[in-house]
Amino acid sequence: MEIKKKFIGFKSADRPSLGLALIFDISGFTMFYNKPDIHFYVTNYINHIVDCVDSTIWGGTAYYTEPPKEIDPLKLKPSMRKFLGDGMLYVWEDTDERFLSSPNLKINLINRLWNLQKYFSSINKKLLEEMPIGDLPKSVKFGIAQGTIYKLVEEDNTIDYIGPCINLASRLVKYCPEINFVASARLDLPKDKLEANRYFRIIAKELRSFENEIIIVDKNDYSKVSENDKKRLFTSL
């Protein structure tokens, strides 16, 4: 593809608003992409993974859970979705209905994402029916954060976003390699809802540019982290 013209610039930056940023990363995708003849099947692979993640937002069938379940659409849909090479960025911008102030919407979303990463082996099993190789990426990782965002509008009206919560989500998705789902405590979720859904808060002391950030992880996920990594990466509240 040839780029026909140079970047024509942004025409405006809206006032700051409340946003939610979600990033997923396919672990080991670079190694997977180096497989012979990858171009014959990589689009089907990416499309399948994105469709599974999209279904947690727009609704669909979570065929990978035990038992499979139908997922209702979230009340608030992302304002932007962008492919990042080995995953995707989703950005929600709050509306006058203040959906991002609702703990229920966010708990619903993080539970769906946690289930998806938990059952990723079932997704791989489905993909093996179509793929010519058995050495598929073993996991998908999620990072999610809430905070200030700014909407940038290009001259052709293309929308983009910047903001610290997007940067934070990108750090969270790369944090502890033994945990595939990490959320920022900036989601502002009540303690009772976290406890009812098996999550707890802990300090991530080595999160680049966000040192000593309080994060939310699943209790069972954290129990599987090695003692060395617990000591190196986390501090209890």
Side-chain angles (χ1 to χ4, degrees):
M1 179 183 69
E2 179 185 358
I3 298 176
K4 300 297 185 181
K5 58 184 179 181
K6 69 176 186 177
F7 174 59
I8 56 177
F10 295 106
K11 65 179 180 181
S12 66
D14 284 5
R15 60 180 177 79
S17 60
L18 179 65
L20 187 75
L22 163 66
I23 292 178
F24 81 81
D25 183 288
I26 302 170
S27 299
F29 186 76
T30 300
M31 184 178 298
F32 173 68
Y33 190 75
N34 287 328
K35 298 290 184 182
D37 297 327
I38 186 70
H39 57 287
F40 289 119
Y41 47 88
V42 70
T43 52
N44 288 340
Y45 176 85
I46 293 171
N47 290 343
H48 191 101
I49 301 301
V50 173
D51 184 62
C52 287
V53 179
D54 276 4
S55 293
T56 68
I57 300 167
W58 280 273
T61 301
Y63 70 84
Y64 44 82
T65 61
E66 299 175 3
K69 61 181 69 174
E70 290 299 315
I71 301 176
D72 295 328
L74 291 179
K75 290 183 178 180
L76 181 64
K77 309 302 189 300
S79 305
M80 187 190 76
R81 177 178 55 191
K82 179 189 292 187
F83 185 58
L84 300 177
D86 55 1
M88 193 78 74
L89 164 67
Y90 300 80
V91 177
W92 284 257
E93 185 175 11
D94 209 3
T95 63
D96 292 340
E97 291 83 3
R98 295 177 57 82
F99 283 118
L100 291 186
S101 298
S102 165
N104 291 335
L105 182 144
K106 290 178 283 190
I107 281 287
N108 196 3
L109 175 60
I110 67 176
N111 282 341
R112 295 175 181 192
L113 298 172
W114 187 87
N115 277 328
L116 195 156
Q117 63 81 29
K118 177 185 178 182
Y119 291 105
F120 195 71
S121 60
S122 297
I123 295 174
N124 274 347
K125 185 177 180 180
K126 177 69 172 177
L127 281 163
L128 287 174
E129 298 175 4
E130 308 169 2
M131 306 293 289
I133 60 170
D135 188 17
L136 302 179
K138 296 297 190 292
S139 63
V140 62
K141 299 175 72 71
F142 293 97
I144 184 168
Q146 179 176 292
T148 302
I149 57 171
Y150 301 84
K151 180 164 65 178
L152 303 179
V153 183
E154 293 185 30
E155 291 291 346
D156 63 359
N157 293 318
T158 300
I159 301 298
D160 207 341
Y161 288 91
I162 58 173
C165 68
I166 299 173
N167 299 335
L168 177 54
S170 71
R171 301 290 192 271
L172 294 174
V173 80
K174 299 290 187 182
Y175 205 54
C176 180
E178 297 154 285
I179 298 180
N180 291 327
F181 177 85
V182 184
S184 168
R186 298 172 192 259
L187 266 64
D188 193 27
L189 296 172
K191 183 178 179 181
D192 61 332
K193 286 193 176 292
L194 293 177
E195 292 178 347
N197 289 275
R198 311 176 312 277
Y199 302 110
F200 78 109
R201 291 157 38 105
I202 194 168
I203 296 173
K205 62 182 183 180
E206 295 294 331
L207 196 61
R208 184 163 59 90
S209 301
F210 295 91
E211 288 76 10
N212 295 317
E213 181 79 10
I214 299 177
I215 62 172
I216 297 168
V217 296
D218 177 82
K219 292 180 179 179
N220 190 54
D221 289 348
Y222 183 74
S223 70
K224 297 176 182 177
V225 176
S226 68
E227 291 303 318
N228 284 340
D229 279 350
K230 284 180 180 178
K231 183 177 181 179
R232 178 173 61 89
L233 298 174
F234 302 99
T235 300
S236 298
L237 291 172

